[in-house]
């Protein structure tokens, strides 16, 4: 809908600021117990994250725009758990619950989700309450040796329906044919989503060698593939993702 021109856009997404608190750890402070676990062990932690609305949503004047975030202030509670059996198997669990706060956004109000080319008079400032999101994630891992591990991965995600409010009467002088009333509630349609993701990967870690003094820089390299295997909701895409992650470990204060 904007005038034809070359467009170059770069912007950050929504920024998360959070922390995690260890509640229970059967290993205690023993490095040896962590590197060579035996028997049944368990550790758990809780966390909270605040998401700042630093991203950009899709432009109401660009019908094929992709935003860098939801541009919503949210608070998210998290629970983490790790169950270890012997020295070769552990399973991690993560539960997340995300609660957005209401805000106001400028959007084009469409009557049906598959209508994209909405005229200018449908661009209005609407009240927005994004739905809450619940996620459950688990990852079983088999430790092959001191360096290599093979893992599986599953995640369930449920996003409740968004809520948009605002009613606007547009006169015939603007529409060009007759007076019409548009209701922002139509933006709620097909915003509820359910998704099941499945995947697996490999990881290489030299932490054990570092603790023995055989490596100078502790790090972990992980390759993970996952994809959506089942979902519901008109706006739920089917994702295929390959991810390579490098994690470096360092202390800000103190010794090694």
């Amino acid at each position: 809908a904007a005038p034809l021109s070359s467009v170059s856009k770069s912007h950050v997404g929504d920024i998360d600021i959070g922390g995690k608190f260890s509640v229970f750890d059967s290993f205690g402070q023993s490095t040896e117990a962590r590197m060579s676990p035996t028997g049944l062990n368990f550790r758990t932690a809780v966390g909270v994250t605040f998401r700042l609305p630093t991203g950009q949503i899709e432009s109401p004047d660009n019908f094929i725009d992709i935003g860098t975030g939801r541009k919503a202030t949210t608070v998210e509670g998290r629970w983490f758990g790790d169950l270890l059996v012997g020295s070769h198997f552990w399973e991690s669990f993560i539960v997340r619950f995300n609660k957005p706060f209401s805000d106001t956004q400028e959007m084009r109000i469409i009557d049906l989700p598959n209508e994209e080319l909405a005229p200018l008079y449908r661009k209005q400032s609407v009240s927005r309450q994004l739905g809450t999101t619940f996620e459950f994630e688990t990852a079983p891992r088999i430790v092959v040796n001191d360096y290599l591990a093979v893992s599986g991965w599953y995640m369930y995600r449920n996003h409740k329906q968004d809520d948009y409010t605002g009613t606007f009467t547009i006169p015939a002088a603007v529409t060009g044919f007759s007076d019409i009333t548009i209701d922002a509630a139509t933006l709620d349609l097909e915003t509820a989503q359910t998704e099941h993701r499945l995947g697996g990967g490999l990881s290489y870690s030299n932490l054990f060698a570092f603790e023995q003094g055989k490596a100078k820089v502790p790090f972990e390299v992980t390759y993970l593939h996952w994809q959506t295997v089942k979902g519901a909701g008109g706006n739920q895409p089917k994702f295929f993702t390959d991810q390579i992650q490098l994690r470096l470990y360092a202390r800000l204060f103190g010794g090694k």
Side-chain angles (χ1 to χ4, degrees), residues 159-227:
H159 176 79
K160 298 298 183 183
Q161 179 175 283
D162 300 337
D163 182 32
Y164 295 86
T165 55
T167 303
F168 309 89
T169 299
I170 314 299
V174 176
T175 65
F177 53 91
S178 64
D179 294 352
I180 66 169
T181 299
I182 55 178
D183 188 345
T186 57
L187 296 173
D188 300 354
L189 299 174
E190 297 189 10
T191 56
Q193 298 173 328
T194 300
E195 182 186 9
H196 299 265
R197 300 178 186 178
L198 195 64
L202 298 170
S203 64
Y204 172 87
S205 172
N206 73 342
L207 290 178
F208 184 76
F210 176 75
E211 293 295 336
Q212 292 182 319
K214 299 179 180 179
K216 293 183 178 180
V217 180
F219 68 89
E220 182 179 82
V221 178
T222 301
Y223 164 75
L224 176 66
H225 169 84
W226 61 263
Q227 64 187 60

Side-chain angles (χ1 to χ4, degrees), residues 59-146:
S59 169
D61 295 326
N62 185 343
F63 300 132
I64 58 172
D65 192 27
I66 298 177
T68 62
R70 301 303 302 273
K71 199 177 181 180
T73 303
T74 71
V75 59
E76 180 173 286
R78 300 177 177 180
W79 172 82
F80 307 85
D82 291 297
L83 177 66
L84 292 86
V85 181
S87 59
H88 292 281
F89 175 82
W90 86 56
E91 184 155 7
S92 299
F93 304 90
I94 303 176
V95 175
R96 305 180 184 91
F97 183 80
N98 185 283
K99 170 63 177 177
F101 296 94
S102 60
D103 59 9
T104 300
Q105 297 291 340
E106 190 175 54
M107 305 183 71
R108 295 204 181 212
I109 301 173
I110 54 179
D111 294 328
L112 295 172
N114 60 352
E115 294 179 355
E116 294 294 341
L117 303 179
L120 180 61
Y121 62 77
R122 286 182 171 268
K123 185 169 72 170
Q124 303 289 339
S125 292
V126 302
S127 296
R128 181 183 69 162
Q129 174 63 70
L130 297 179
T132 58
T133 302
F134 171 82
E135 293 180 351
F136 169 77
E137 179 181 333
T138 183
R141 175 179 290 191
I142 300 293
V143 179
V144 179
N145 53 41
D146 293 335

